Amino acid sequence: MKKIVLSLVLLGALILSVKAGENFSYSQLLKEITTVEPIQAPDPALERSVMPTPADGRYWVTVKAADKYARTRLLEAGLDIVEINKDSVSGFAGPYTMGLLSSKAFVVQSRMTIPEYAARMGKDFPAADAAYHNFKETVDLLKQMAAANPDIASLFSIGKTVEGRDIWCLRINSSAKGEAVSSKPGALYIGNHHAREHLSNEVPLLLAAWLFDHKNDADIKKYISTLDIYIIPMLNPDGAENDIKTGSYRYYRKNMSMNSDKSRGVDLNRNYDSWWCQAGASTYPGSDTYCGPKAFSEPESQAVKRFTEARKNLKTHISYHSYASEILYPWGGSDDDIPNAKDRQAFINIGAAMGKLTGYRSYKSSEMYIATGDSCDWAYAAAGIFAFTFELEGNGFYPGAAILTNAVSKNIKAAVYLLSVTDNPYKVI
Ligand code: 0X9
Ligand code: ZN
């Protein structure tokens, strides 16, 4: 990966001005993001400090898996599948999963410790990723945006996390504010179900900044006055903060629940009540695909449930993840097609249009692997919402600041396209 380092003086000034609330505009944020310059040679001192905490005992493994059913079995063994190749998958496995993988049912082709893996990835020192927004920066920016646009924006918490952080939701609507109900068709964007997928926070956060910057463009003005737009950039702030808090990335995926066996975390994208824990999820608490003790056991997924059930006007949704460059639509928990042919065609057509705008491949979620309990299956099953999982791009979970401008801008196009069909998703058929 291309090494980058911040131009500290310039960037510091920009960050200060942004943080002081002088300017939060999308273009200002992009300037902040792009204020990076290549360095000639990696500094060995920095290289040493990129190592994530080695103590969690997980390995990066490559295991034989010829098809989605094999991938589903591996998820159930607790493998945290990150990359899918033709005949194998690679991902993270803790000691319990390593034990299961050593049985005859699986063929482990290679394994390495997380520090070995991180060294091989050659990823950047986290300071180089300062353009990404941590929890405090995310909240500050959301507050600035809401304060600067009181006629169309409001900000409220949809609930608290395991560790007591607020899950903030920015609403853009020219009439209804805060938690007041609206009959306008609603669009919902959520980032960061998974802790380490920091790009999935940036896209919805900067989408909000972009919408405010362009609020006087004819089409955006129309969406703001006719739709009910909700942006929840950071659903799992506990996990995101845990991932970065040592200054070295930890590849952390789950939330921060204390489990019955004293291990940490539930996979929030396995915790929804859509065939909960029936496939592609693990019942072992220590594993990365742990579905939790019951559906909606977690305050973060409960908050999304309450939020969604209270807003019958929601029509469209994107849940942002990373990093496969893919757009996925239901079902993800079953090989079956969704039964409603009209909905199916709308999913296919909307997905294809957003695929064109991003260059991502759009397809049925279960083709990746069958995994139950995911948020988009639940949103469609429970509320008929046209819910898409976006697997954003990158060469890993930590693609660096250099990709932000391009990744964010193309995804804003897709998100705005979704707004254009939110009044009637069937118009694409
Ligand atoms: O496994 C997940 O939750 C998502 N991938 S990630 O690498 N971001 O963790 C994909 C969810 C897609 N849903 C299903 N296949 N059910
Ligand atoms: Zn994810």
Side-chain angles (χ1 to χ4, degrees):
M1 188 163 102
K2 197 170 135 203
K3 288 279 154 196
I4 50 173
V5 73
L6 297 174
S7 169
L8 283 173
V9 177
L10 229 181
L11 185 77
L14 282 166
I15 288 177
L16 276 182
S17 70
V18 169
K19 285 179 183 165
E22 285 158 21
N23 197 340
F24 63 84
S25 76
Y26 178 70
S27 43
Q28 179 74 7
L29 289 163
L30 277 192
K31 232 188 275 167
E32 178 189 335
I33 284 163
T34 50
T35 311
V36 293
E37 61 187 32
I39 56 169
Q40 303 313 322
D43 173 348
L46 288 189
E47 282 293 295
R48 274 194 301 280
S49 62
V50 304
M51 299 304 177
T53 315
D56 72 5
R58 288 180 300 160
Y59 287 85
W60 173 263
V61 289
T62 298
V63 190
K64 244 187 161 157
D67 56 25
K68 61 179 166 173
Y69 302 107
R71 296 193 283 272
T72 300
R73 298 288 88 74
L74 284 163
L75 290 173
E76 289 162 3
L79 181 67
D80 175 10
I81 295 177
V82 173
E83 285 173 6
I84 299 177
N85 316 306
K86 193 166 170 292
D87 296 313
S88 66
V89 296
S90 300
F92 299 104
Y96 167 82
T97 301
M98 288 305 285
L100 294 181
L101 293 183
S102 68
S103 88
K104 275 213 261 341
F106 301 107
V107 179
V108 177
Q109 296 176 321
S110 67
R111 69 175 212 183
M112 63 183 99
T113 63
I114 291 193
E116 284 165 349
Y117 168 72
R120 218 180 62 154
M121 292 292 281
K123 68 180 183 50
D124 283 305
F125 183 63
D129 286 351
Y132 285 76
H133 294 80
N134 64 24
F135 178 62
K136 183 181 180 307
E137 290 160 355
T138 298
V139 177
D140 286 351
L141 192 50
L142 290 172
K143 286 183 175 163
Q144 286 168 25
M145 291 194 276
N149 296 279
D151 51 333
I152 54 170
S154 51
L155 186 66
F156 59 96
S157 165
I158 67 162
K160 294 222 183 256
T161 64
V162 169
E163 294 182 338
R165 292 183 177 86
D166 276 306
I167 301 166
W168 290 103
C169 176
L170 181 74
R171 183 182 196 184
I172 306 178
N173 181 318
S174 63
S175 45
K177 300 285 171 306
E179 303 197 55
V181 288
S182 170
S183 56
K184 294 174 180 176
L188 170 62
Y189 302 89
I190 298 183
N192 186 229
H193 269 78
H194 289 142
R196 64 194 171 199
E197 297 169 13
H198 302 285
L199 182 58
S200 78
N201 172 34
E202 297 305 316
V203 166
L205 186 62
L206 294 180
L207 166 67
W210 189 93
L211 288 171
F212 292 125
D213 261 20
H214 291 79
K215 64 183 179 183
N216 293 319
D217 294 4
D219 52 345
I220 304 303
K221 201 180 177 127
K222 185 182 89 190
Y223 301 145
I224 291 175
S225 63
T226 57
L227 301 177
D228 194 20
I229 305 167
Y230 294 96
I231 299 177
I232 303 172
M234 213 183 239
L235 180 68
N236 181 13
D238 296 356
E241 290 289 290
N242 180 53
D243 191 53
I244 59 173
K245 77 176 183 194
T246 62
S248 302
Y249 291 125
R250 292 175 139 176
Y251 296 90
Y252 191 71
R253 173 177 169 95
K254 300 188 285 180
N255 76 347
M256 291 302 284
S257 262
M258 178 60 83
N259 297 324
S260 54
D261 65 353
K262 301 277 180 283
S263 67
R264 279 284 189 179
V266 168
D267 183 347
L268 292 177
N269 213 31
R270 298 292 182 278
N271 191 239
Y272 288 73
D273 195 5
S274 48
W275 303 293
W276 175 77
C277 215
Q278 289 182 27
S282 166
T283 53
Y284 178 70
S287 78
D288 272 335
T289 53
Y290 177 44
C291 56
K294 60 179 185 192
F296 289 120
S297 56
E298 303 310 296
E300 296 87 356
S301 51
Q302 273 169 31
V304 174
K305 177 183 195 289
R306 270 197 317 271
F307 175 90
T308 306
E309 288 175 348
R311 288 166 182 80
K312 304 288 183 220
N313 61 326
L314 292 175
K315 297 277 179 269
T316 58
H317 169 49
I318 295 175
S319 176
Y320 292 102
H321 289 255
S322 65
Y323 59 94
S325 301
E326 287 171 351
I327 297 170
L328 308 168
Y329 49 80
W331 303 123
S334 164
D335 261 344
D336 294 344
D337 280 335
I338 55 168
N340 183 318
K342 205 172 150 197
D343 285 7
R344 201 159 65 231
Q345 201 55 52
F347 267 116
I348 291 170
N349 292 5
I350 295 170
M354 295 194 292
K356 259 201 184 135
L357 293 166
T358 51
Y360 298 169
R361 186 163 82 95
S362 177
Y363 65 106
K364 185 174 177 291
S365 200
S366 62
E367 293 301 307
M368 173 187 246
Y369 39 63
I370 301 161
T372 56
D374 90 18
S375 68
C376 287
D377 273 10
W378 178 80
Y380 175 67
I385 296 170
F386 286 93
F388 294 85
T389 300
F390 267 51
E391 286 283 349
L392 299 167
E393 61 210 73
N395 57 354
F397 292 115
Y398 311 112
I403 73 147
L404 275 173
T405 307
N406 187 35
V408 167
S409 56
K410 65 167 96 152
N411 275 286
I412 285 173
K413 288 186 193 146
V416 170
Y417 171 82
L418 196 67
L419 290 180
S420 78
V421 301
T422 294
D423 62 330
N424 173 19
Y426 297 113
K427 69 184 169 194
V428 300
I429 301 178

